[in-house]
Amino acid sequence: AQKITQTQPGMFVQEKEAVTLDCTYDTSDPSYGLFWYKQPSSGEMIFLIYQGSYDQQNATEGRYSLNFQKARKSANLVISASQLGDSAMYFCAMRGGKAAGNKLTFGGGTRVLVKP
Amino acid sequence: GAGVSQSPSNKVTEKGKDVELRCDPISGHTALYWYRQSLGQGLEFLIYFQGNSAPDKSGLPSDRFSAERTGGSVSTLTIQRTQQEDSAVYLCASSFTGQARPGANVLTFGAGSRLTVL
């Protein structure tokens, strides 16, 4: 079975600083995908970034980058130059291959509050 | 449509009543998921439909929960004899699965249906 763990329930970050959100995973599938979603207080789920298990380079999308360490089974999200609008819940998720039924499994989330 | 549409956006019901929640996915998306999110919690997988394959029902918490997807498009999640612990936001998501990198297919979520059982 696949499992996603986010060990930081909440954290504060100063505006304009970088923040790293931890995510570790466990799967027996050799092929899988890792996703990060943002959920602001409005409740919508916003896709941020994707990393494939066979990707050679870490994914980047604007101020978001994914620190993918395959041997450690970690996929930490780095948000650079934090903005007040970054305050939200952040969820790490994994989609395994056929063995996992291709379903997307989410971690418990990390709440980020950006301080001015 | 342009996005995933869910209805109703809010539903208040009495304990013991049945409820139906509807999801209209993005046109052309073959995969459809239902998740449940309790207040301040993460997303709990409920059920997954992929094309004409048998759905993955492994996340349904009890036999009071069921879902169907008609014509490969609209899906209805039904909760029978609702209990107070069923109160949550029910999120629907859909994705396309035709890309060369199947793991990259991003889920697009609806705004959710907030269910309150009194």
Side-chain angles (χ1 to χ4, degrees), chain B residues 73-95:
Chain B
S73 180
V74 172
S75 177
T76 302
L77 177 68
T78 301
I79 308 172
Q80 296 178 310
R81 305 181 302 282
T82 52
Q83 304 294 312
Q84 289 183 332
E85 59 264 28
D86 299 335
S87 297
V89 175
Y90 290 80
L91 290 163
C92 176
S94 70
S95 75

Short mmCIF file of all heavy atoms in Angstrom, two decimals, chain B residues 73-95:
data_model
loop_
_atom_site.label_atom_id
_atom_site.label_comp_id
_atom_site.label_asym_id
_atom_site.label_seq_id
_atom_site.Cartn_x
_atom_site.Cartn_y
_atom_site.Cartn_z
N SER B 73 -19.61 10.05 -17.56
CA SER B 73 -19.51 11.49 -17.32
C SER B 73 -19.93 11.83 -15.90
O SER B 73 -19.15 11.66 -14.97
CB SER B 73 -20.35 12.25 -18.34
OG SER B 73 -20.26 13.64 -18.13
N VAL B 74 -21.16 12.23 -15.72
CA VAL B 74 -21.65 12.69 -14.42
C VAL B 74 -21.62 11.56 -13.40
O VAL B 74 -21.92 10.41 -13.71
CB VAL B 74 -23.08 13.23 -14.57
CG1 VAL B 74 -23.69 13.55 -13.21
CG2 VAL B 74 -23.09 14.47 -15.44
N SER B 75 -21.25 11.92 -12.18
CA SER B 75 -21.22 10.94 -11.09
C SER B 75 -22.10 11.43 -9.94
O SER B 75 -22.20 12.63 -9.68
CB SER B 75 -19.79 10.74 -10.60
OG SER B 75 -19.76 9.85 -9.50
N THR B 76 -22.70 10.46 -9.26
CA THR B 76 -23.51 10.75 -8.08
C THR B 76 -23.00 9.93 -6.91
O THR B 76 -22.85 8.71 -7.03
CB THR B 76 -25.00 10.42 -8.32
OG1 THR B 76 -25.47 11.17 -9.44
CG2 THR B 76 -25.82 10.77 -7.10
N LEU B 77 -22.71 10.61 -5.81
CA LEU B 77 -22.33 9.94 -4.56
C LEU B 77 -23.57 9.95 -3.66
O LEU B 77 -24.14 11.01 -3.40
CB LEU B 77 -21.19 10.68 -3.89
CG LEU B 77 -20.73 10.15 -2.52
CD1 LEU B 77 -20.06 8.78 -2.67
CD2 LEU B 77 -19.75 11.13 -1.86
N THR B 78 -23.97 8.78 -3.23
CA THR B 78 -25.15 8.65 -2.38
C THR B 78 -24.75 8.18 -1.00
O THR B 78 -23.98 7.23 -0.86
CB THR B 78 -26.15 7.66 -2.99
OG1 THR B 78 -26.53 8.11 -4.31
CG2 THR B 78 -27.40 7.54 -2.13
N ILE B 79 -25.28 8.87 0.00
CA ILE B 79 -25.06 8.45 1.39
C ILE B 79 -26.43 8.15 1.97
O ILE B 79 -27.31 9.02 2.03
CB ILE B 79 -24.37 9.55 2.21
CG1 ILE B 79 -23.10 10.04 1.51
CG2 ILE B 79 -24.02 9.01 3.61
CD1 ILE B 79 -22.46 11.26 2.17
N GLN B 80 -26.62 6.92 2.37
CA GLN B 80 -27.91 6.50 2.94
C GLN B 80 -27.86 6.60 4.46
O GLN B 80 -26.80 6.42 5.08
CB GLN B 80 -28.22 5.07 2.53
CG GLN B 80 -28.41 4.88 1.02
CD GLN B 80 -28.68 3.43 0.66
OE1 GLN B 80 -27.96 2.54 1.08
NE2 GLN B 80 -29.73 3.20 -0.11
N ARG B 81 -29.00 6.89 5.03
CA ARG B 81 -29.14 6.91 6.50
C ARG B 81 -27.98 7.71 7.13
O ARG B 81 -27.22 7.19 7.93
CB ARG B 81 -29.19 5.49 7.04
CG ARG B 81 -30.26 4.62 6.41
CD ARG B 81 -30.29 3.23 7.00
NE ARG B 81 -29.02 2.51 6.86
CZ ARG B 81 -28.59 1.94 5.75
NH1 ARG B 81 -29.34 2.00 4.65
NH2 ARG B 81 -27.45 1.30 5.73
N THR B 82 -27.88 8.95 6.74
CA THR B 82 -26.75 9.78 7.16
C THR B 82 -26.58 9.81 8.67
O THR B 82 -27.55 9.80 9.44
CB THR B 82 -26.89 11.21 6.64
OG1 THR B 82 -28.17 11.73 7.01
CG2 THR B 82 -26.73 11.27 5.13
N GLN B 83 -25.32 9.89 9.08
CA GLN B 83 -24.92 10.00 10.48
C GLN B 83 -24.18 11.31 10.65
O GLN B 83 -23.66 11.89 9.69
CB GLN B 83 -24.03 8.83 10.87
CG GLN B 83 -24.64 7.46 10.63
CD GLN B 83 -25.85 7.22 11.51
OE1 GLN B 83 -25.80 7.46 12.71
NE2 GLN B 83 -26.94 6.74 10.92
N GLN B 84 -24.07 11.78 11.88
CA GLN B 84 -23.38 13.04 12.14
C GLN B 84 -21.91 12.98 11.71
O GLN B 84 -21.37 14.00 11.26
CB GLN B 84 -23.52 13.42 13.61
CG GLN B 84 -24.92 13.85 13.98
CD GLN B 84 -25.06 14.30 15.42
OE1 GLN B 84 -24.30 13.84 16.28
NE2 GLN B 84 -26.01 15.18 15.68
N GLU B 85 -21.31 11.81 11.82
CA GLU B 85 -19.90 11.71 11.43
C GLU B 85 -19.69 11.80 9.91
O GLU B 85 -18.55 11.87 9.45
CB GLU B 85 -19.27 10.41 11.94
CG GLU B 85 -19.94 9.13 11.46
CD GLU B 85 -20.94 8.60 12.46
OE1 GLU B 85 -21.51 9.41 13.24
OE2 GLU B 85 -21.15 7.37 12.47
N ASP B 86 -20.80 11.79 9.17
CA ASP B 86 -20.69 11.97 7.71
C ASP B 86 -20.51 13.45 7.34
O ASP B 86 -20.22 13.76 6.18
CB ASP B 86 -21.95 11.45 7.00
CG ASP B 86 -22.18 9.96 7.23
OD1 ASP B 86 -21.20 9.24 7.51
OD2 ASP B 86 -23.35 9.52 7.14
N SER B 87 -20.68 14.34 8.31
CA SER B 87 -20.52 15.76 8.04
C SER B 87 -19.10 16.05 7.59
O SER B 87 -18.13 15.71 8.28
CB SER B 87 -20.84 16.59 9.29
OG SER B 87 -22.19 16.42 9.68
N ALA B 88 -18.97 16.66 6.42
CA ALA B 88 -17.66 16.91 5.82
C ALA B 88 -17.88 17.65 4.51
O ALA B 88 -19.02 17.85 4.07
CB ALA B 88 -16.91 15.60 5.56
N VAL B 89 -16.76 18.02 3.88
CA VAL B 89 -16.81 18.51 2.51
C VAL B 89 -16.47 17.34 1.59
O VAL B 89 -15.46 16.67 1.80
CB VAL B 89 -15.83 19.68 2.28
CG1 VAL B 89 -15.83 20.08 0.82
CG2 VAL B 89 -16.21 20.86 3.17
N TYR B 90 -17.31 17.12 0.62
CA TYR B 90 -17.09 16.04 -0.33
C TYR B 90 -16.58 16.66 -1.63
O TYR B 90 -17.25 17.46 -2.26
CB TYR B 90 -18.37 15.23 -0.54
CG TYR B 90 -18.71 14.42 0.68
CD1 TYR B 90 -19.35 15.02 1.77
CD2 TYR B 90 -18.33 13.08 0.79
CE1 TYR B 90 -19.63 14.29 2.93
CE2 TYR B 90 -18.60 12.35 1.94
CZ TYR B 90 -19.24 12.96 3.00
OH TYR B 90 -19.50 12.25 4.14
N LEU B 91 -15.37 16.27 -1.98
CA LEU B 91 -14.70 16.84 -3.15
C LEU B 91 -14.67 15.83 -4.29
O LEU B 91 -14.37 14.66 -4.10
CB LEU B 91 -13.26 17.23 -2.80
CG LEU B 91 -13.10 18.42 -1.85
CD1 LEU B 91 -11.70 18.44 -1.26
CD2 LEU B 91 -13.37 19.71 -2.57
N CYS B 92 -14.96 16.33 -5.46
CA CYS B 92 -14.88 15.53 -6.67
C CYS B 92 -13.73 16.08 -7.51
O CYS B 92 -13.48 17.29 -7.52
CB CYS B 92 -16.20 15.62 -7.44
SG CYS B 92 -16.20 14.77 -9.02
N ALA B 93 -13.04 15.21 -8.20
CA ALA B 93 -11.95 15.63 -9.07
C ALA B 93 -11.95 14.77 -10.32
O ALA B 93 -12.39 13.61 -10.29
CB ALA B 93 -10.60 15.51 -8.36
N SER B 94 -11.47 15.32 -11.42
CA SER B 94 -11.38 14.54 -12.64
C SER B 94 -10.04 14.79 -13.30
O SER B 94 -9.36 15.79 -13.03
CB SER B 94 -12.53 14.89 -13.60
OG SER B 94 -12.39 16.18 -14.14
N SER B 95 -9.65 13.86 -14.16
CA SER B 95 -8.40 14.04 -14.88
C SER B 95 -8.45 13.29 -16.21
O SER B 95 -9.26 12.38 -16.40
CB SER B 95 -7.20 13.55 -14.06
OG SER B 95 -7.16 12.13 -14.03
#
